Amino acid sequence: MNNFRYMHLSIIDSHTGGEPTRVVIDGPEEVTGINVESMAQRRDLLAGKYDWIRKSCVNEPRGHEAMVGALLCQPSDPDCVAGVIFFNNVGYLHSCIHGTIGLAVTLLHMGKIQHGKHRIETIAGVVGVEICEKGRVTVTNVPSYRYRKGVELVVPGYGQVTGDIAWGGNWFFLTKVSDSADAPTVRYENIRALTDYGAAISQALADQNITGDDGGKVDHIEIFDQPTEGVSDSRSFVLCPGMEYDRSPCGTGTSAKLACLYADGELESGQVWRQASVLNTVFECQLEPLDNGRITPIITSSAYVNGETTLIIQDDDPFRHGISSASFSQH
Ligand code: PYC
């Protein structure tokens, strides 16, 4: 007879432009319940006592390195339908727009919300979602802005790379392929080379102590290239903090891009910008200018629910908390 103890986590999976979102719908009440004041406090509780939830959900063998997890919470703001904490293979995200689009179709699938407009609370602030037919969702993101233009970075192995630093709900370094002599072009066949290039930029930013205006780590790298004809206005490769690339065009990254375009006078209110990912999936975007030079990004995409299951985390399973370097320190 088997005496092992089990933990269960109920999850619903979706993808937005190819990028997965795994929503945990029955997290611990201590983190998800009504008695927590802010999303940041929920994140700290999750990261402290319950980090195993993140690791079990997104790491192999239950997940994979590119998976973004989302813990569904009660909102702390009564005007919101839900609160959410996003996480990945290495930690917690301030926000995630492909994940918010995934969460919106997940809440619809669960019957918790209907088509129409809703508000969702993230650590970065409240975002608006409008759910239309066929899984089409429009997100109104938090105010976004460019912090620094034309930062010159020395990247070992690649020489000088120029880029901007901007906030779109996470911190981004945005560079064009044309801003470096040795950058790989943004094509599916170049994903490995683009990952190496992005990782080298990320390391150089850390080594040269280049941060956001709040001291936050610039932990997402965006490499922009020519558009694919008839598909988009621009195609990009986005490297996330866990060194996995975003299969979608990255909503917080696209928000940062819109802020830079606006600051350069290249995009105005009402103009549509179509941002493609390295997989050529597209986010359709617009912006609304704010009084202080910042913008409100508005991003539309489709998401698809593609799984609903219970994860079992068995006490004696050596990989109950996923495969990571920590798994091997015990073996
Ligand atoms: O869509 O904002 C986004 C995102 C962040 C990290 C992965 N996707």
Side-chain angles (χ1 to χ4, degrees), residues 205-242:
L205 286 164
D207 290 346
Q208 289 161 52
N209 222 1
I210 296 172
T211 66
D213 61 0
D214 57 357
K217 188 166 183 206
V218 180
D219 56 2
H220 289 75
I221 312 300
E222 286 190 280
I223 301 158
F224 291 90
D225 207 345
Q226 296 302 316
T228 340
E229 228 184 288
V231 172
S232 64
D233 297 296
S234 158
R235 189 178 184 186
S236 63
F237 173 88
V238 181
L239 189 66
C240 298

Side-chain angles (χ1 to χ4, degrees), residues 19 68 93 95-99 170 220 240 246 248 250-253 283:
E19 180 75 351
V68 172
L93 295 162
S95 177
C96 177
I97 300 302
H98 95 266
N170 292 300
H220 289 75
C240 298
D246 196 331
S248 84
C250 190
T252 48
F283 283 177

